[in-house]
PDB file of all heavy atoms in Angstrom:
ATOM      1  N   ALA A   1      17.599  20.270 -24.313  1.00  0.00           N
ATOM      2  CA  ALA A   1      17.801  20.125 -25.687  1.00  0.00           C
ATOM      3  C   ALA A   1      17.742  21.599 -26.343  1.00  0.00           C
ATOM      4  O   ALA A   1      18.526  21.804 -27.242  1.00  0.00           O
ATOM      5  CB  ALA A   1      16.841  19.140 -26.368  1.00  0.00           C
ATOM      6  N   LEU A   2      16.731  22.390 -25.989  1.00  0.00           N
ATOM      7  CA  LEU A   2      16.600  23.766 -26.519  1.00  0.00           C
ATOM      8  C   LEU A   2      17.742  24.526 -26.205  1.00  0.00           C
ATOM      9  O   LEU A   2      18.330  25.274 -27.100  1.00  0.00           O
ATOM     10  CB  LEU A   2      15.307  24.288 -25.982  1.00  0.00           C
ATOM     11  CG  LEU A   2      14.971  25.684 -26.484  1.00  0.00           C
ATOM     12  CD1 LEU A   2      14.812  25.748 -28.005  1.00  0.00           C
ATOM     13  CD2 LEU A   2      13.756  26.309 -25.837  1.00  0.00           C
ATOM     14  N   ASN A   3      18.281  24.384 -24.907  1.00  0.00           N
ATOM     15  CA  ASN A   3      19.520  25.207 -24.510  1.00  0.00           C
ATOM     16  C   ASN A   3      20.706  24.772 -25.378  1.00  0.00           C
ATOM     17  O   ASN A   3      21.506  25.586 -25.811  1.00  0.00           O
ATOM     18  CB  ASN A   3      19.715  25.022 -23.050  1.00  0.00           C
ATOM     19  CG  ASN A   3      18.726  25.587 -22.139  1.00  0.00           C
ATOM     20  OD1 ASN A   3      17.970  26.578 -22.615  1.00  0.00           O
ATOM     21  ND2 ASN A   3      18.610  25.112 -20.856  1.00  0.00           N
ATOM     22  N   SER A   4      20.863  23.440 -25.533  1.00  0.00           N
ATOM     23  CA  SER A   4      22.031  22.971 -26.289  1.00  0.00           C
ATOM     24  C   SER A   4      21.948  23.377 -27.762  1.00  0.00           C
ATOM     25  O   SER A   4      22.920  23.781 -28.334  1.00  0.00           O
ATOM     26  CB  SER A   4      22.092  21.418 -26.136  1.00  0.00           C
ATOM     27  OG  SER A   4      22.372  20.946 -24.958  1.00  0.00           O
ATOM     28  N   LEU A   5      20.753  23.327 -28.292  1.00  0.00           N
ATOM     29  CA  LEU A   5      20.570  23.678 -29.713  1.00  0.00           C
ATOM     30  C   LEU A   5      20.851  25.188 -29.905  1.00  0.00           C
ATOM     31  O   LEU A   5      21.468  25.614 -30.899  1.00  0.00           O
ATOM     32  CB  LEU A   5      19.091  23.304 -30.188  1.00  0.00           C
ATOM     33  CG  LEU A   5      18.794  23.687 -31.627  1.00  0.00           C
ATOM     34  CD1 LEU A   5      19.768  22.860 -32.554  1.00  0.00           C
ATOM     35  CD2 LEU A   5      17.396  23.353 -31.970  1.00  0.00           C
ATOM     36  N   LEU A   6      20.367  26.052 -28.980  1.00  0.00           N
ATOM     37  CA  LEU A   6      20.533  27.447 -29.019  1.00  0.00           C
ATOM     38  C   LEU A   6      22.084  27.854 -28.968  1.00  0.00           C
ATOM     39  O   LEU A   6      22.574  28.496 -29.790  1.00  0.00           O
ATOM     40  CB  LEU A   6      19.778  28.081 -27.920  1.00  0.00           C
ATOM     41  CG  LEU A   6      19.885  29.692 -27.883  1.00  0.00           C
ATOM     42  CD1 LEU A   6      19.260  30.269 -29.265  1.00  0.00           C
ATOM     43  CD2 LEU A   6      19.212  30.247 -26.656  1.00  0.00           C
ATOM     44  N   VAL A   7      22.684  27.191 -27.978  1.00  0.00           N
ATOM     45  CA  VAL A   7      24.095  27.558 -27.722  1.00  0.00           C
ATOM     46  C   VAL A   7      25.009  27.062 -28.998  1.00  0.00           C
ATOM     47  O   VAL A   7      25.844  27.705 -29.472  1.00  0.00           O
ATOM     48  CB  VAL A   7      24.647  26.964 -26.483  1.00  0.00           C
ATOM     49  CG1 VAL A   7      26.166  26.991 -26.426  1.00  0.00           C
ATOM     50  CG2 VAL A   7      23.989  27.581 -25.311  1.00  0.00           C
ATOM     51  N   ALA A   8      24.666  25.753 -29.408  1.00  0.00           N
ATOM     52  CA  ALA A   8      25.436  25.199 -30.489  1.00  0.00           C
ATOM     53  C   ALA A   8      25.211  25.963 -31.850  1.00  0.00           C
ATOM     54  O   ALA A   8      26.170  26.226 -32.544  1.00  0.00           O
ATOM     55  CB  ALA A   8      25.040  23.715 -30.727  1.00  0.00           C
ATOM     56  N   THR A   9      23.949  26.454 -32.041  1.00  0.00           N
ATOM     57  CA  THR A   9      23.753  27.128 -33.334  1.00  0.00           C
ATOM     58  C   THR A   9      24.420  28.534 -33.329  1.00  0.00           C
ATOM     59  O   THR A   9      25.043  28.872 -34.226  1.00  0.00           O
ATOM     60  CB  THR A   9      22.241  27.324 -33.467  1.00  0.00           C
ATOM     61  OG1 THR A   9      21.545  26.028 -33.517  1.00  0.00           O
ATOM     62  CG2 THR A   9      21.908  28.059 -34.775  1.00  0.00           C
ATOM     63  N   ILE A  10      24.241  29.194 -32.165  1.00  0.00           N
ATOM     64  CA  ILE A  10      24.964  30.536 -32.095  1.00  0.00           C
ATOM     65  C   ILE A  10      26.465  30.429 -32.083  1.00  0.00           C
ATOM     66  O   ILE A  10      27.109  31.166 -32.838  1.00  0.00           O
ATOM     67  CB  ILE A  10      24.427  31.279 -30.857  1.00  0.00           C
ATOM     68  CG1 ILE A  10      22.950  31.515 -30.927  1.00  0.00           C
ATOM     69  CG2 ILE A  10      25.258  32.575 -30.736  1.00  0.00           C
ATOM     70  CD1 ILE A  10      22.431  32.279 -29.680  1.00  0.00           C
ATOM     71  N   SER A  11      26.929  29.439 -31.429  1.00  0.00           N
ATOM     72  CA  SER A  11      28.490  29.261 -31.507  1.00  0.00           C
ATOM     73  C   SER A  11      28.910  28.816 -32.801  1.00  0.00           C
ATOM     74  O   SER A  11      29.946  29.415 -33.299  1.00  0.00           O
ATOM     75  CB  SER A  11      28.794  28.099 -30.474  1.00  0.00           C
ATOM     76  OG  SER A  11      28.475  28.494 -29.088  1.00  0.00           O
ATOM     77  N   THR A  12      28.267  27.928 -33.517  1.00  0.00           N
ATOM     78  CA  THR A  12      28.732  27.581 -34.876  1.00  0.00           C
ATOM     79  C   THR A  12      28.570  28.768 -35.867  1.00  0.00           C
ATOM     80  O   THR A  12      29.593  29.023 -36.584  1.00  0.00           O
ATOM     81  CB  THR A  12      27.806  26.447 -35.452  1.00  0.00           C
ATOM     82  OG1 THR A  12      27.934  25.330 -34.478  1.00  0.00           O
ATOM     83  CG2 THR A  12      28.335  25.974 -36.714  1.00  0.00           C
ATOM     84  N   ALA A  13      27.465  29.397 -35.892  1.00  0.00           N
ATOM     85  CA  ALA A  13      27.326  30.580 -36.834  1.00  0.00           C
ATOM     86  C   ALA A  13      28.261  31.647 -36.536  1.00  0.00           C
ATOM     87  O   ALA A  13      28.841  32.207 -37.509  1.00  0.00           O
ATOM     88  CB  ALA A  13      25.887  31.023 -36.854  1.00  0.00           C
ATOM     89  N   GLY A  14      28.430  31.978 -35.241  1.00  0.00           N
ATOM     90  CA  GLY A  14      29.251  33.097 -34.944  1.00  0.00           C
ATOM     91  C   GLY A  14      30.683  32.800 -35.174  1.00  0.00           C
ATOM     92  O   GLY A  14      31.436  33.581 -35.663  1.00  0.00           O
ATOM     93  N   ALA A  15      31.172  31.553 -34.830  1.00  0.00           N
ATOM     94  CA  ALA A  15      32.586  31.159 -35.053  1.00  0.00           C
ATOM     95  C   ALA A  15      32.799  31.158 -36.507  1.00  0.00           C
ATOM     96  O   ALA A  15      33.939  31.478 -36.950  1.00  0.00           O
ATOM     97  CB  ALA A  15      32.775  29.803 -34.399  1.00  0.00           C
ATOM     98  N   LEU A  16      31.904  30.712 -37.404  1.00  0.00           N
ATOM     99  CA  LEU A  16      32.114  30.659 -38.813  1.00  0.00           C
ATOM    100  C   LEU A  16      32.243  32.000 -39.371  1.00  0.00           C
ATOM    101  O   LEU A  16      33.214  32.295 -40.162  1.00  0.00           O
ATOM    102  CB  LEU A  16      30.950  29.990 -39.546  1.00  0.00           C
ATOM    103  CG  LEU A  16      30.922  28.444 -39.510  1.00  0.00           C
ATOM    104  CD1 LEU A  16      29.640  27.877 -40.155  1.00  0.00           C
ATOM    105  CD2 LEU A  16      32.186  27.751 -40.144  1.00  0.00           C
ATOM    106  N   LEU A  17      31.381  32.977 -38.873  1.00  0.00           N
ATOM    107  CA  LEU A  17      31.493  34.290 -39.428  1.00  0.00           C
ATOM    108  C   LEU A  17      32.906  34.977 -39.099  1.00  0.00           C
ATOM    109  O   LEU A  17      33.513  35.569 -39.898  1.00  0.00           O
ATOM    110  CB  LEU A  17      30.450  35.182 -38.915  1.00  0.00           C
ATOM    111  CG  LEU A  17      30.380  36.684 -39.334  1.00  0.00           C
ATOM    112  CD1 LEU A  17      30.256  36.809 -40.811  1.00  0.00           C
ATOM    113  CD2 LEU A  17      29.263  37.405 -38.626  1.00  0.00           C
ATOM    114  N   VAL A  18      33.254  34.857 -37.797  1.00  0.00           N
ATOM    115  CA  VAL A  18      34.446  35.428 -37.278  1.00  0.00           C
ATOM    116  C   VAL A  18      35.678  34.833 -37.949  1.00  0.00           C
ATOM    117  O   VAL A  18      36.611  35.452 -38.413  1.00  0.00           O
ATOM    118  CB  VAL A  18      34.663  35.332 -35.753  1.00  0.00           C
ATOM    119  CG1 VAL A  18      35.999  35.807 -35.306  1.00  0.00           C
ATOM    120  CG2 VAL A  18      33.560  36.141 -35.094  1.00  0.00           C
ATOM    121  N   SER A  19      35.658  33.464 -38.151  1.00  0.00           N
ATOM    122  CA  SER A  19      36.709  32.749 -38.717  1.00  0.00           C
ATOM    123  C   SER A  19      36.890  33.043 -40.277  1.00  0.00           C
ATOM    124  O   SER A  19      38.017  33.189 -40.768  1.00  0.00           O
ATOM    125  CB  SER A  19      36.558  31.220 -38.539  1.00  0.00           C
ATOM    126  OG  SER A  19      36.455  30.963 -37.187  1.00  0.00           O
ATOM    127  N   VAL A  20      35.781  33.302 -40.908  1.00  0.00           N
ATOM    128  CA  VAL A  20      35.819  33.653 -42.363  1.00  0.00           C
ATOM    129  C   VAL A  20      36.550  35.014 -42.521  1.00  0.00           C
ATOM    130  O   VAL A  20      37.386  35.149 -43.403  1.00  0.00           O
ATOM    131  CB  VAL A  20      34.393  33.600 -42.934  1.00  0.00           C
ATOM    132  CG1 VAL A  20      34.401  34.473 -44.234  1.00  0.00           C
ATOM    133  CG2 VAL A  20      33.948  32.186 -43.177  1.00  0.00           C
ATOM    134  N   LEU A  21      36.141  35.908 -41.708  1.00  0.00           N
ATOM    135  CA  LEU A  21      36.673  37.293 -41.773  1.00  0.00           C
ATOM    136  C   LEU A  21      38.170  37.255 -41.429  1.00  0.00           C
ATOM    137  O   LEU A  21      39.039  37.894 -42.152  1.00  0.00           O
ATOM    138  CB  LEU A  21      36.000  38.190 -40.878  1.00  0.00           C
ATOM    139  CG  LEU A  21      34.471  38.517 -41.242  1.00  0.00           C
ATOM    140  CD1 LEU A  21      33.786  39.331 -40.177  1.00  0.00           C
ATOM    141  CD2 LEU A  21      34.392  39.205 -42.581  1.00  0.00           C
ATOM    142  N   ALA A  22      38.516  36.615 -40.328  1.00  0.00           N
ATOM    143  CA  ALA A  22      39.949  36.530 -39.983  1.00  0.00           C
ATOM    144  C   ALA A  22      40.827  35.744 -40.930  1.00  0.00           C
ATOM    145  O   ALA A  22      41.973  36.106 -41.261  1.00  0.00           O
ATOM    146  CB  ALA A  22      40.070  35.877 -38.570  1.00  0.00           C
ATOM    147  N   ALA A  23      40.272  34.610 -41.492  1.00  0.00           N
ATOM    148  CA  ALA A  23      41.036  33.858 -42.451  1.00  0.00           C
ATOM    149  C   ALA A  23      41.262  34.662 -43.744  1.00  0.00           C
ATOM    150  O   ALA A  23      42.362  34.535 -44.314  1.00  0.00           O
ATOM    151  CB  ALA A  23      40.276  32.556 -42.816  1.00  0.00           C
ATOM    152  N   TYR A  24      40.282  35.442 -44.112  1.00  0.00           N
ATOM    153  CA  TYR A  24      40.496  36.224 -45.384  1.00  0.00           C
ATOM    154  C   TYR A  24      41.592  37.235 -45.119  1.00  0.00           C
ATOM    155  O   TYR A  24      42.383  37.580 -45.949  1.00  0.00           O
ATOM    156  CB  TYR A  24      39.167  36.952 -45.668  1.00  0.00           C
ATOM    157  CG  TYR A  24      39.354  37.929 -46.919  1.00  0.00           C
ATOM    158  CD1 TYR A  24      39.239  37.365 -48.287  1.00  0.00           C
ATOM    159  CD2 TYR A  24      39.555  39.300 -46.743  1.00  0.00           C
ATOM    160  CE1 TYR A  24      39.334  38.219 -49.238  1.00  0.00           C
ATOM    161  CE2 TYR A  24      39.663  40.058 -47.824  1.00  0.00           C
ATOM    162  CZ  TYR A  24      39.546  39.572 -49.101  1.00  0.00           C
ATOM    163  OH  TYR A  24      39.728  40.428 -50.249  1.00  0.00           O
ATOM    164  N   ALA A  25      41.705  37.896 -43.880  1.00  0.00           N
ATOM    165  CA  ALA A  25      42.584  38.837 -43.539  1.00  0.00           C
ATOM    166  C   ALA A  25      44.037  38.266 -43.649  1.00  0.00           C
ATOM    167  O   ALA A  25      45.052  38.833 -44.274  1.00  0.00           O
ATOM    168  CB  ALA A  25      42.380  39.496 -42.184  1.00  0.00           C
ATOM    169  N   PHE A  26      44.187  37.042 -43.068  1.00  0.00           N
ATOM    170  CA  PHE A  26      45.489  36.422 -43.042  1.00  0.00           C
ATOM    171  C   PHE A  26      45.931  35.817 -44.334  1.00  0.00           C
ATOM    172  O   PHE A  26      47.065  35.673 -44.652  1.00  0.00           O
ATOM    173  CB  PHE A  26      45.532  35.282 -41.993  1.00  0.00           C
ATOM    174  CG  PHE A  26      45.592  35.817 -40.546  1.00  0.00           C
ATOM    175  CD1 PHE A  26      44.611  35.594 -39.670  1.00  0.00           C
ATOM    176  CD2 PHE A  26      46.718  36.544 -40.153  1.00  0.00           C
ATOM    177  CE1 PHE A  26      44.691  35.961 -38.339  1.00  0.00           C
ATOM    178  CE2 PHE A  26      46.770  37.023 -38.899  1.00  0.00           C
ATOM    179  CZ  PHE A  26      45.736  36.723 -37.979  1.00  0.00           C
ATOM    180  N   SER A  27      44.905  35.465 -45.234  1.00  0.00           N
ATOM    181  CA  SER A  27      45.247  34.848 -46.443  1.00  0.00           C
ATOM    182  C   SER A  27      45.425  35.932 -47.636  1.00  0.00           C
ATOM    183  O   SER A  27      46.208  35.686 -48.481  1.00  0.00           O
ATOM    184  CB  SER A  27      44.035  33.830 -46.863  1.00  0.00           C
ATOM    185  OG  SER A  27      44.265  33.408 -48.125  1.00  0.00           O
ATOM    186  N   ARG A  28      44.585  36.958 -47.617  1.00  0.00           N
ATOM    187  CA  ARG A  28      44.667  37.893 -48.789  1.00  0.00           C
ATOM    188  C   ARG A  28      45.187  39.344 -48.512  1.00  0.00           C
ATOM    189  O   ARG A  28      45.452  39.974 -49.300  1.00  0.00           O
ATOM    190  CB  ARG A  28      43.211  38.004 -49.202  1.00  0.00           C
ATOM    191  CG  ARG A  28      42.547  36.769 -49.889  1.00  0.00           C
ATOM    192  CD  ARG A  28      43.460  36.310 -50.987  1.00  0.00           C
ATOM    193  NE  ARG A  28      42.782  35.471 -52.030  1.00  0.00           N
ATOM    194  CZ  ARG A  28      42.909  34.149 -52.067  1.00  0.00           C
ATOM    195  NH1 ARG A  28      43.607  33.472 -51.183  1.00  0.00           N
ATOM    196  NH2 ARG A  28      42.289  33.424 -52.970  1.00  0.00           N
ATOM    197  N   LEU A  29      45.136  39.682 -47.220  1.00  0.00           N
ATOM    198  CA  LEU A  29      45.578  41.070 -46.924  1.00  0.00           C
ATOM    199  C   LEU A  29      47.063  41.082 -46.507  1.00  0.00           C
ATOM    200  O   LEU A  29      47.450  40.239 -45.685  1.00  0.00           O
ATOM    201  CB  LEU A  29      44.723  41.635 -45.846  1.00  0.00           C
ATOM    202  CG  LEU A  29      43.179  41.761 -46.178  1.00  0.00           C
ATOM    203  CD1 LEU A  29      42.519  42.488 -45.033  1.00  0.00           C
ATOM    204  CD2 LEU A  29      42.952  42.452 -47.497  1.00  0.00           C
ATOM    205  N   SER A  30      47.759  42.064 -46.863  1.00  0.00           N
ATOM    206  CA  SER A  30      49.213  42.219 -46.484  1.00  0.00           C
ATOM    207  C   SER A  30      49.315  43.417 -45.595  1.00  0.00           C
ATOM    208  O   SER A  30      49.009  44.503 -46.019  1.00  0.00           O
ATOM    209  CB  SER A  30      50.084  42.369 -47.773  1.00  0.00           C
ATOM    210  OG  SER A  30      49.993  41.338 -48.564  1.00  0.00           O
ATOM    211  N   PHE A  31      49.569  43.181 -44.351  1.00  0.00           N
ATOM    212  CA  PHE A  31      49.774  44.335 -43.368  1.00  0.00           C
ATOM    213  C   PHE A  31      50.893  43.987 -42.459  1.00  0.00           C
ATOM    214  O   PHE A  31      51.306  42.808 -42.250  1.00  0.00           O
ATOM    215  CB  PHE A  31      48.440  44.492 -42.529  1.00  0.00           C
ATOM    216  CG  PHE A  31      47.961  43.284 -41.862  1.00  0.00           C
ATOM    217  CD1 PHE A  31      48.327  42.990 -40.577  1.00  0.00           C
ATOM    218  CD2 PHE A  31      47.011  42.357 -42.493  1.00  0.00           C
ATOM    219  CE1 PHE A  31      47.813  41.931 -39.937  1.00  0.00           C
ATOM    220  CE2 PHE A  31      46.558  41.317 -41.887  1.00  0.00           C
ATOM    221  CZ  PHE A  31      46.924  41.027 -40.504  1.00  0.00           C
ATOM    222  N   ARG A  32      51.432  44.948 -41.800  1.00  0.00           N
ATOM    223  CA  ARG A  32      52.595  44.844 -41.010  1.00  0.00           C
ATOM    224  C   ARG A  32      52.303  43.969 -39.768  1.00  0.00           C
ATOM    225  O   ARG A  32      51.404  44.169 -39.015  1.00  0.00           O
ATOM    226  CB  ARG A  32      53.152  46.173 -40.542  1.00  0.00           C
ATOM    227  CG  ARG A  32      54.393  46.139 -39.655  1.00  0.00           C
ATOM    228  CD  ARG A  32      54.938  47.476 -39.341  1.00  0.00           C
ATOM    229  NE  ARG A  32      55.255  48.254 -40.580  1.00  0.00           N
ATOM    230  CZ  ARG A  32      55.634  49.486 -40.470  1.00  0.00           C
ATOM    231  NH1 ARG A  32      55.843  50.218 -39.446  1.00  0.00           N
ATOM    232  NH2 ARG A  32      56.031  50.199 -41.659  1.00  0.00           N
ATOM    233  N   GLY A  33      53.170  42.978 -39.523  1.00  0.00           N
ATOM    234  CA  GLY A  33      53.030  42.057 -38.359  1.00  0.00           C
ATOM    235  C   GLY A  33      52.047  40.945 -38.524  1.00  0.00           C
ATOM    236  O   GLY A  33      51.728  40.265 -37.609  1.00  0.00           O
ATOM    237  N   SER A  34      51.523  40.794 -39.804  1.00  0.00           N
ATOM    238  CA  SER A  34      50.503  39.780 -40.002  1.00  0.00           C
ATOM    239  C   SER A  34      51.019  38.369 -39.702  1.00  0.00           C
ATOM    240  O   SER A  34      50.355  37.569 -39.083  1.00  0.00           O
ATOM    241  CB  SER A  34      49.971  39.813 -41.440  1.00  0.00           C
ATOM    242  OG  SER A  34      50.983  39.559 -42.348  1.00  0.00           O
ATOM    243  N   ARG A  35      52.291  38.170 -40.111  1.00  0.00           N
ATOM    244  CA  ARG A  35      52.922  36.800 -39.942  1.00  0.00           C
ATOM    245  C   ARG A  35      53.171  36.548 -38.394  1.00  0.00           C
ATOM    246  O   ARG A  35      52.822  35.474 -37.933  1.00  0.00           O
ATOM    247  CB  ARG A  35      54.283  36.763 -40.644  1.00  0.00           C
ATOM    248  CG  ARG A  35      54.860  35.285 -40.742  1.00  0.00           C
ATOM    249  CD  ARG A  35      56.067  35.260 -41.592  1.00  0.00           C
ATOM    250  NE  ARG A  35      56.501  33.840 -41.740  1.00  0.00           N
ATOM    251  CZ  ARG A  35      56.079  32.986 -42.624  1.00  0.00           C
ATOM    252  NH1 ARG A  35      55.026  33.434 -43.494  1.00  0.00           N
ATOM    253  NH2 ARG A  35      56.493  31.774 -42.801  1.00  0.00           N
ATOM    254  N   ALA A  36      53.647  37.565 -37.798  1.00  0.00           N
ATOM    255  CA  ALA A  36      53.884  37.433 -36.220  1.00  0.00           C
ATOM    256  C   ALA A  36      52.563  37.098 -35.563  1.00  0.00           C
ATOM    257  O   ALA A  36      52.407  36.359 -34.564  1.00  0.00           O
ATOM    258  CB  ALA A  36      54.625  38.615 -35.722  1.00  0.00           C
ATOM    259  N   LEU A  37      51.541  37.859 -35.944  1.00  0.00           N
ATOM    260  CA  LEU A  37      50.178  37.844 -35.367  1.00  0.00           C
ATOM    261  C   LEU A  37      49.585  36.400 -35.601  1.00  0.00           C
ATOM    262  O   LEU A  37      49.060  35.783 -34.644  1.00  0.00           O
ATOM    263  CB  LEU A  37      49.300  38.970 -35.848  1.00  0.00           C
ATOM    264  CG  LEU A  37      47.874  38.895 -35.264  1.00  0.00           C
ATOM    265  CD1 LEU A  37      47.973  39.079 -33.835  1.00  0.00           C
ATOM    266  CD2 LEU A  37      47.004  40.065 -35.972  1.00  0.00           C
ATOM    267  N   PHE A  38      49.825  35.888 -36.764  1.00  0.00           N
ATOM    268  CA  PHE A  38      49.323  34.588 -37.086  1.00  0.00           C
ATOM    269  C   PHE A  38      49.949  33.529 -36.318  1.00  0.00           C
ATOM    270  O   PHE A  38      49.422  32.558 -35.812  1.00  0.00           O
ATOM    271  CB  PHE A  38      49.433  34.323 -38.581  1.00  0.00           C
ATOM    272  CG  PHE A  38      48.826  32.975 -39.041  1.00  0.00           C
ATOM    273  CD1 PHE A  38      47.381  32.844 -38.979  1.00  0.00           C
ATOM    274  CD2 PHE A  38      49.573  31.953 -39.507  1.00  0.00           C
ATOM    275  CE1 PHE A  38      46.852  31.649 -39.416  1.00  0.00           C
ATOM    276  CE2 PHE A  38      48.966  30.786 -39.923  1.00  0.00           C
ATOM    277  CZ  PHE A  38      47.603  30.634 -39.865  1.00  0.00           C
ATOM    278  N   VAL A  39      51.304  33.656 -36.137  1.00  0.00           N
ATOM    279  CA  VAL A  39      52.115  32.728 -35.276  1.00  0.00           C
ATOM    280  C   VAL A  39      51.606  32.794 -33.866  1.00  0.00           C
ATOM    281  O   VAL A  39      51.536  31.783 -33.161  1.00  0.00           O
ATOM    282  CB  VAL A  39      53.584  32.919 -35.408  1.00  0.00           C
ATOM    283  CG1 VAL A  39      54.354  32.073 -34.417  1.00  0.00           C
ATOM    284  CG2 VAL A  39      54.032  32.687 -36.865  1.00  0.00           C
ATOM    285  N   ALA A  40      51.369  33.998 -33.346  1.00  0.00           N
ATOM    286  CA  ALA A  40      50.920  34.187 -31.963  1.00  0.00           C
ATOM    287  C   ALA A  40      49.551  33.535 -31.796  1.00  0.00           C
ATOM    288  O   ALA A  40      49.174  32.915 -30.792  1.00  0.00           O
ATOM    289  CB  ALA A  40      50.882  35.656 -31.568  1.00  0.00           C
ATOM    290  N   LEU A  41      48.668  33.629 -32.841  1.00  0.00           N
ATOM    291  CA  LEU A  41      47.382  33.088 -32.832  1.00  0.00           C
ATOM    292  C   LEU A  41      47.431  31.570 -32.725  1.00  0.00           C
ATOM    293  O   LEU A  41      46.767  30.846 -32.040  1.00  0.00           O
ATOM    294  CB  LEU A  41      46.567  33.530 -33.994  1.00  0.00           C
ATOM    295  CG  LEU A  41      45.057  33.218 -33.981  1.00  0.00           C
ATOM    296  CD1 LEU A  41      44.363  33.964 -32.968  1.00  0.00           C
ATOM    297  CD2 LEU A  41      44.412  33.565 -35.370  1.00  0.00           C
ATOM    298  N   LEU A  42      48.377  30.983 -33.552  1.00  0.00           N
ATOM    299  CA  LEU A  42      48.530  29.579 -33.548  1.00  0.00           C
ATOM    300  C   LEU A  42      48.998  29.024 -32.240  1.00  0.00           C
ATOM    301  O   LEU A  42      48.732  27.890 -31.868  1.00  0.00           O
ATOM    302  CB  LEU A  42      49.364  29.125 -34.702  1.00  0.00           C
ATOM    303  CG  LEU A  42      48.860  29.206 -36.162  1.00  0.00           C
ATOM    304  CD1 LEU A  42      49.893  28.679 -37.132  1.00  0.00           C
ATOM    305  CD2 LEU A  42      47.634  28.457 -36.311  1.00  0.00           C
ATOM    306  N   SER A  43      49.855  29.760 -31.574  1.00  0.00           N
ATOM    307  CA  SER A  43      50.420  29.333 -30.276  1.00  0.00           C
ATOM    308  C   SER A  43      49.367  29.161 -29.247  1.00  0.00           C
ATOM    309  O   SER A  43      49.482  28.402 -28.326  1.00  0.00           O
ATOM    310  CB  SER A  43      51.364  30.398 -29.860  1.00  0.00           C
ATOM    311  OG  SER A  43      50.818  31.608 -29.512  1.00  0.00           O
ATOM    312  N   ALA A  44      48.160  29.799 -29.530  1.00  0.00           N
ATOM    313  CA  ALA A  44      47.060  29.609 -28.524  1.00  0.00           C
ATOM    314  C   ALA A  44      46.571  28.167 -28.617  1.00  0.00           C
ATOM    315  O   ALA A  44      45.864  27.734 -27.654  1.00  0.00           O
ATOM    316  CB  ALA A  44      45.900  30.554 -28.802  1.00  0.00           C
ATOM    317  N   LEU A  45      46.784  27.467 -29.754  1.00  0.00           N
ATOM    318  CA  LEU A  45      46.330  26.059 -29.828  1.00  0.00           C
ATOM    319  C   LEU A  45      46.985  25.142 -28.846  1.00  0.00           C
ATOM    320  O   LEU A  45      46.486  24.114 -28.365  1.00  0.00           O
ATOM    321  CB  LEU A  45      46.491  25.558 -31.167  1.00  0.00           C
ATOM    322  CG  LEU A  45      45.579  26.045 -32.286  1.00  0.00           C
ATOM    323  CD1 LEU A  45      45.988  25.582 -33.677  1.00  0.00           C
ATOM    324  CD2 LEU A  45      44.175  25.686 -32.115  1.00  0.00           C
TER     325      LEU A  45
END
């Protein structure tokens, strides 16, 4: 249970931080190739 809690907590907090930063870049910043990069990212799904 301690292993699961440790992994789940770090995974959740880390993924939220990375996702917030990346989502802000794709939503608010305009840079060359952003649309193509976002489509490539979605293709990973």
